[in-house]
Amino acid sequence: METAPPKILASVATPLIEPEESFDPEIQAFFSDCSKKLDTHHDRYERVVKLSRDITIESKRVIFLLHRVQDETSKMKICNEAEGKLQVVINSSWNRLAKELVGQDHHHYLRAYSPGLQEFIEAISFLQFLRDGNLINLEEVQSRLTYSEELKVPVPVYEYLLGIADLTGELMRLCINAVGRGETQLVFNTCMSLRKIHEALSSLNLGFQRELKRKLQVSRQSLQKVETACYTVQVRGSEIPKELLAAKAVLSDDNPTWNEEYD
Protein backbone atom coordinates (compact mmCIF):
# COMPACT_ATOMS: atom_id res chain seq x y z
CA MET A 1 0.00 0.00 0.00
CA GLU A 2 1.46 3.26 -1.13
CA THR A 3 1.63 6.10 1.31
CA ALA A 4 0.93 9.69 0.29
CA PRO A 5 3.96 11.91 0.17
CA PRO A 6 4.27 14.18 3.16
CA LYS A 7 2.81 17.67 2.70
CA ILE A 8 5.38 20.39 2.44
CA LEU A 9 4.33 23.46 4.33
CA ALA A 10 5.44 26.62 2.57
CA SER A 11 6.85 29.12 4.91
CA VAL A 12 5.10 32.46 4.53
CA ALA A 13 7.25 35.40 5.35
CA THR A 14 5.35 37.88 7.49
CA PRO A 15 6.47 41.50 7.09
CA LEU A 16 7.80 43.11 10.16
CA ILE A 17 5.73 46.09 11.26
CA GLU A 18 7.67 48.46 13.36
CA PRO A 19 5.86 49.67 16.43
CA GLU A 20 4.58 53.23 16.29
CA GLU A 21 6.93 54.25 19.06
CA SER A 22 9.94 53.47 16.83
CA PHE A 23 9.00 56.19 14.26
CA ASP A 24 10.83 59.47 14.30
CA PRO A 25 8.75 61.90 16.40
CA GLU A 26 9.43 64.69 13.93
CA ILE A 27 8.01 62.60 11.07
CA GLN A 28 4.98 61.71 13.17
CA ALA A 29 4.39 65.36 13.97
CA PHE A 30 4.79 66.33 10.30
CA PHE A 31 2.23 63.85 9.01
CA SER A 32 -0.14 64.61 11.86
CA ASP A 33 0.04 68.29 10.94
CA CYS A 34 -0.57 67.48 7.27
CA SER A 35 -3.62 65.41 8.24
CA LYS A 36 -5.09 68.28 10.26
CA LYS A 37 -4.49 70.76 7.41
CA LEU A 38 -6.15 68.46 4.89
CA ASP A 39 -9.15 67.92 7.15
CA THR A 40 -9.46 71.68 7.65
CA HIS A 41 -9.21 72.28 3.89
CA HIS A 42 -11.83 69.64 3.07
CA ASP A 43 -14.23 70.95 5.72
CA ARG A 44 -13.86 74.51 4.39
CA TYR A 45 -14.30 73.28 0.82
CA GLU A 46 -17.58 71.56 1.75
CA ARG A 47 -18.84 74.70 3.48
CA VAL A 48 -18.04 76.75 0.37
CA VAL A 49 -19.86 74.21 -1.83
CA LYS A 50 -22.99 74.44 0.36
CA LEU A 51 -22.90 78.24 0.29
CA SER A 52 -22.52 78.15 -3.49
CA ARG A 53 -25.60 75.93 -3.75
CA ASP A 54 -27.62 78.39 -1.66
CA ILE A 55 -26.45 81.26 -3.87
CA THR A 56 -27.36 79.32 -7.01
CA ILE A 57 -30.87 78.61 -5.73
CA GLU A 58 -31.54 82.22 -4.72
CA SER A 59 -30.10 83.56 -7.99
CA LYS A 60 -32.39 81.27 -10.00
CA ARG A 61 -35.35 82.52 -8.01
CA VAL A 62 -34.40 86.09 -8.87
CA ILE A 63 -34.19 85.21 -12.57
CA PHE A 64 -37.62 83.55 -12.46
CA LEU A 65 -38.96 86.65 -10.71
CA LEU A 66 -37.56 88.97 -13.39
CA HIS A 67 -39.28 86.99 -16.14
CA ARG A 68 -42.61 88.02 -14.62
CA VAL A 69 -42.16 91.58 -15.88
CA GLN A 70 -45.11 92.47 -18.11
CA ASP A 71 -45.02 96.27 -18.43
CA GLU A 72 -43.28 99.38 -17.10
CA THR A 73 -45.34 99.41 -13.92
CA SER A 74 -44.59 95.82 -13.00
CA LYS A 75 -40.96 96.23 -14.11
CA MET A 76 -40.20 98.85 -11.46
CA LYS A 77 -41.85 96.83 -8.70
CA ILE A 78 -40.28 93.50 -9.68
CA CYS A 79 -36.81 94.99 -10.24
CA ASN A 80 -36.88 96.55 -6.76
CA GLU A 81 -37.93 93.22 -5.28
CA ALA A 82 -35.18 91.41 -7.19
CA GLU A 83 -32.59 93.95 -6.05
CA GLY A 84 -33.64 93.38 -2.44
CA LYS A 85 -33.34 89.61 -2.80
CA LEU A 86 -29.88 89.89 -4.35
CA GLN A 87 -28.77 92.24 -1.58
CA VAL A 88 -29.87 89.68 1.00
CA VAL A 89 -27.73 87.07 -0.77
CA ILE A 90 -24.77 89.47 -0.80
CA ASN A 91 -25.13 90.26 2.91
CA SER A 92 -25.62 86.65 3.99
CA SER A 93 -24.27 83.83 1.82
CA TRP A 94 -21.62 85.83 -0.04
CA ASN A 95 -20.44 87.47 3.17
CA ARG A 96 -20.02 84.09 4.85
CA LEU A 97 -18.22 82.74 1.79
CA ALA A 98 -15.86 85.72 1.80
CA LYS A 99 -14.99 84.99 5.44
CA GLU A 100 -14.15 81.41 4.49
CA LEU A 101 -11.63 82.73 1.93
CA VAL A 102 -9.81 85.10 4.28
CA GLY A 103 -6.15 84.11 4.37
CA GLN A 104 -6.69 81.40 1.75
CA ASP A 105 -5.73 81.06 -1.89
CA HIS A 106 -9.11 81.50 -3.60
CA HIS A 107 -7.95 79.38 -6.55
CA HIS A 108 -8.11 76.33 -4.26
CA TYR A 109 -11.84 76.97 -3.76
CA LEU A 110 -12.81 78.47 -7.12
CA ARG A 111 -14.37 75.26 -8.42
CA ALA A 112 -16.44 75.08 -5.25
CA TYR A 113 -18.11 78.49 -5.64
CA SER A 114 -17.88 78.85 -9.43
CA PRO A 115 -21.47 77.61 -10.11
CA GLY A 116 -22.93 80.06 -7.60
CA LEU A 117 -20.81 82.90 -8.93
CA GLN A 118 -21.85 82.31 -12.54
CA GLU A 119 -25.53 82.10 -11.59
CA PHE A 120 -25.24 85.26 -9.49
CA ILE A 121 -23.60 87.15 -12.36
CA GLU A 122 -26.35 85.95 -14.67
CA ALA A 123 -29.04 87.18 -12.25
CA ILE A 124 -27.48 90.56 -11.48
CA SER A 125 -26.67 91.25 -15.15
CA PHE A 126 -30.23 90.32 -16.17
CA LEU A 127 -31.57 92.70 -13.54
CA GLN A 128 -29.40 95.57 -14.75
CA PHE A 129 -30.32 94.89 -18.39
CA LEU A 130 -34.04 95.06 -17.60
CA ARG A 131 -33.76 98.08 -15.34
CA ASP A 132 -31.09 100.19 -17.05
CA GLY A 133 -30.78 98.68 -20.52
CA ASN A 134 -27.03 98.06 -20.28
CA LEU A 135 -24.60 95.32 -19.31
CA ILE A 136 -22.93 95.14 -15.92
CA ASN A 137 -19.13 95.11 -16.09
CA LEU A 138 -16.57 93.12 -14.13
CA GLU A 139 -15.65 96.02 -11.83
CA GLU A 140 -19.27 96.49 -10.79
CA VAL A 141 -19.67 92.80 -9.99
CA GLN A 142 -16.45 92.81 -7.96
CA SER A 143 -17.53 95.90 -6.04
CA ARG A 144 -20.77 94.19 -5.01
CA LEU A 145 -18.79 91.29 -3.53
CA THR A 146 -16.15 93.43 -1.80
CA TYR A 147 -16.76 94.19 1.88
CA SER A 148 -13.32 95.47 2.82
CA GLU A 149 -9.76 95.31 1.54
CA GLU A 150 -9.28 91.83 2.98
CA LEU A 151 -12.88 90.60 3.07
CA LYS A 152 -14.02 89.97 -0.50
CA VAL A 153 -14.86 87.25 -2.99
CA PRO A 154 -12.49 87.43 -6.00
CA VAL A 155 -14.29 87.42 -9.36
CA PRO A 156 -11.99 86.08 -12.11
CA VAL A 157 -12.48 87.40 -15.63
CA TYR A 158 -13.20 83.92 -16.96
CA GLU A 159 -16.02 83.38 -14.46
CA TYR A 160 -17.50 86.76 -15.39
CA LEU A 161 -17.49 85.79 -19.07
CA LEU A 162 -19.21 82.49 -18.31
CA GLY A 163 -21.91 84.31 -16.37
CA ILE A 164 -22.47 86.76 -19.22
CA ALA A 165 -22.64 83.84 -21.66
CA ASP A 166 -25.46 82.40 -19.55
CA LEU A 167 -27.26 85.75 -19.77
CA THR A 168 -27.86 85.22 -23.49
CA GLY A 169 -30.30 82.41 -22.71
CA GLU A 170 -32.34 84.70 -20.45
CA LEU A 171 -32.38 87.41 -23.11
CA MET A 172 -33.70 84.87 -25.59
CA ARG A 173 -36.54 83.94 -23.21
CA LEU A 174 -37.23 87.61 -22.61
CA CYS A 175 -37.50 88.16 -26.34
CA ILE A 176 -39.86 85.22 -26.94
CA ASN A 177 -42.12 86.38 -24.10
CA ALA A 178 -42.11 89.89 -25.56
CA VAL A 179 -43.24 88.50 -28.91
CA GLY A 180 -46.27 86.95 -27.23
CA ARG A 181 -47.13 90.28 -25.58
CA GLY A 182 -46.71 92.18 -28.84
CA GLU A 183 -43.77 94.33 -27.64
CA THR A 184 -42.00 94.51 -30.99
CA GLN A 185 -39.56 97.24 -30.02
CA LEU A 186 -38.29 95.21 -27.07
CA VAL A 187 -37.81 92.25 -29.41
CA PHE A 188 -35.60 94.24 -31.81
CA ASN A 189 -33.65 95.94 -29.01
CA THR A 190 -33.01 92.60 -27.32
CA CYS A 191 -31.86 91.11 -30.61
CA MET A 192 -29.31 93.91 -31.12
CA SER A 193 -27.99 93.54 -27.57
CA LEU A 194 -27.78 89.78 -27.85
CA ARG A 195 -25.92 90.04 -31.15
CA LYS A 196 -23.36 92.44 -29.65
CA ILE A 197 -22.78 90.19 -26.62
CA HIS A 198 -22.33 87.11 -28.78
CA GLU A 199 -19.95 88.90 -31.16
CA ALA A 200 -17.90 90.22 -28.23
CA LEU A 201 -17.60 86.80 -26.61
CA SER A 202 -16.73 85.13 -29.91
CA SER A 203 -14.02 87.69 -30.67
CA LEU A 204 -12.06 86.80 -27.53
CA ASN A 205 -10.63 83.67 -29.18
CA LEU A 206 -11.09 81.56 -26.07
CA GLY A 207 -12.35 78.51 -27.91
CA PHE A 208 -9.76 76.34 -26.19
CA GLN A 209 -11.75 76.79 -22.97
CA ARG A 210 -14.17 73.88 -23.13
CA GLU A 211 -16.90 75.34 -20.92
CA LEU A 212 -16.92 78.71 -22.67
CA LYS A 213 -16.90 77.00 -26.06
CA ARG A 214 -20.00 75.02 -25.08
CA LYS A 215 -21.78 78.12 -23.82
CA LEU A 216 -20.92 80.01 -26.99
CA GLN A 217 -22.68 77.31 -28.99
CA VAL A 218 -25.77 77.76 -26.81
CA SER A 219 -25.46 81.52 -27.20
CA ARG A 220 -25.39 81.14 -30.98
CA GLN A 221 -28.56 79.05 -30.84
CA SER A 222 -30.24 81.68 -28.66
CA LEU A 223 -29.27 84.39 -31.13
CA GLN A 224 -30.71 82.39 -34.01
CA LYS A 225 -34.02 81.99 -32.15
CA VAL A 226 -34.18 85.72 -31.45
CA GLU A 227 -33.39 86.57 -35.08
CA THR A 228 -36.14 84.17 -36.14
CA ALA A 229 -38.47 85.97 -33.73
CA CYS A 230 -37.57 89.30 -35.35
CA TYR A 231 -38.29 87.80 -38.76
CA THR A 232 -41.63 86.52 -37.50
CA VAL A 233 -42.64 89.91 -36.14
CA GLN A 234 -41.39 91.99 -39.09
CA VAL A 235 -42.32 89.81 -42.07
CA ARG A 236 -44.96 87.33 -40.96
CA GLY A 237 -46.58 89.34 -38.15
CA SER A 238 -49.58 90.33 -40.22
CA GLU A 239 -50.19 86.76 -41.38
CA ILE A 240 -49.90 84.90 -38.07
CA PRO A 241 -52.41 85.44 -35.24
CA LYS A 242 -50.90 87.32 -32.31
CA GLU A 243 -51.49 84.48 -29.87
CA LEU A 244 -49.41 82.15 -32.09
CA LEU A 245 -46.51 84.51 -32.73
CA ALA A 246 -44.46 83.30 -29.76
CA ALA A 247 -44.90 79.65 -30.79
CA LYS A 248 -43.84 80.35 -34.36
CA ALA A 249 -40.95 82.56 -33.28
CA VAL A 250 -39.00 79.60 -31.93
CA LEU A 251 -39.34 77.52 -35.09
CA SER A 252 -36.28 77.34 -37.32
CA ASP A 253 -36.39 78.45 -40.92
CA ASP A 254 -36.00 74.88 -42.17
CA ASN A 255 -39.18 73.73 -40.43
CA PRO A 256 -41.31 72.15 -43.22
CA THR A 257 -44.56 73.54 -41.78
CA TRP A 258 -43.28 77.12 -41.60
CA ASN A 259 -44.61 78.13 -45.02
CA GLU A 260 -47.45 75.63 -45.18
CA GLU A 261 -49.73 76.36 -42.25
CA TYR A 262 -50.48 79.95 -43.20
CA ASP A 263 -50.49 79.75 -47.00
Side-chain angles (χ1 to χ4, degrees):
M1 183 176 181
E2 297 182 356
T3 57
K7 296 182 179 180
I8 302 177
L9 298 178
S11 60
V12 179
T14 57
L16 295 177
I17 301 177
E18 297 184 9
E20 197 172 322
E21 292 77 9
S22 64
F23 291 155
D24 190 337
E26 293 185 1
I27 296 179
Q28 284 186 351
F30 173 77
F31 280 101
S32 177
D33 184 58
C34 289
S35 176
K36 292 179 181 178
K37 288 181 178 180
L38 283 175
D39 290 341
T40 302
H41 168 74
H42 292 154
D43 291 343
R44 182 181 294 108
Y45 193 94
E46 289 300 319
R47 291 194 298 269
V48 171
V49 168
K50 292 179 180 178
L51 288 170
S52 177
R53 289 173 182 168
D54 295 339
I55 293 169
T56 299
I57 293 172
E58 293 302 322
S59 298
K60 286 183 180 295
R61 289 174 178 171
V62 169
I63 293 174
F64 295 153
L65 174 65
L66 291 172
H67 277 298
R68 291 165 50 190
V69 172
Q70 299 291 329
D71 49 34
E72 289 297 324
T73 304
S74 64
K75 182 173 75 171
M76 183 62 65
K77 178 182 178 181
I78 291 177
C79 286
N80 290 337
E81 183 180 351
E83 178 66 36
K85 289 181 178 294
L86 286 177
Q87 192 59 47
V88 170
V89 175
I90 293 173
N91 294 336
S92 57
S93 297
W94 277 122
N95 186 274
R96 291 165 56 192
L97 198 150
K99 292 178 180 178
E100 294 286 355
L101 299 179
V102 172
Q104 306 294 325
D105 186 353
H106 74 276
H107 293 96
H108 293 165
Y109 303 93
L110 182 58
R111 291 188 62 182
Y113 72 86
S114 174
L117 180 58
Q118 293 179 29
E119 199 70 33
F120 176 79
I121 293 174
E122 180 182 358
I124 198 172
S125 60
F126 189 34
L127 169 62
Q128 181 156 321
F129 180 85
L130 283 177
R131 184 181 56 194
D132 305 327
N134 54 37
L135 190 65
I136 193 171
N137 57 43
L138 176 61
E139 289 74 19
E140 290 174 321
V141 176
Q142 183 62 79
S143 65
R144 298 294 295 270
L145 299 181
T146 300
Y147 306 93
S148 65
E149 186 175 353
E150 296 182 355
L151 187 62
K152 64 180 180 180
V153 178
V155 182
V157 177
Y158 182 61
E159 297 297 322
Y160 167 77
L161 295 176
L162 291 175
I164 296 301
D166 289 333
L167 173 65
T168 58
E170 305 308 326
L171 295 182
M172 182 270 294
R173 295 180 184 90
L174 173 67
C175 179
I176 301 304
N177 293 336
V179 172
R181 297 193 302 267
E183 300 182 25
T184 57
Q185 192 58 45
L186 177 59
V187 174
F188 294 124
N189 292 341
T190 303
C191 181
M192 291 297 297
S193 300
L194 184 55
R195 185 179 293 119
K196 291 179 180 179
I197 293 174
H198 178 72
E199 289 177 354
L201 292 174
S202 301
S203 65
L204 296 176
N205 194 23
L206 295 176
F208 60 91
Q209 298 285 356
R210 183 171 58 181
E211 189 174 4
L212 182 59
K213 183 178 180 180
R214 177 181 59 83
K215 292 192 176 186
L216 280 177
Q217 293 175 350
V218 177
S219 173
R220 186 182 300 109
Q221 294 172 358
S222 298
L223 178 58
Q224 291 173 350
K225 290 181 180 180
V226 172
E227 289 175 340
T228 302
C230 292
Y231 163 81
T232 304
V233 172
Q234 188 70 22
V235 180
R236 305 296 301 272
S238 60
E239 305 173 14
I240 304 175
K242 181 180 178 181
E243 59 272 12
L244 297 179
L245 272 177
K248 290 303 170 186
V250 298
L251 292 177
S252 58
D253 292 339
D254 57 355
N255 191 298
T257 62
W258 176 266
N259 296 319
E260 295 174 0
E261 293 184 358
Y262 296 96
D263 285 347

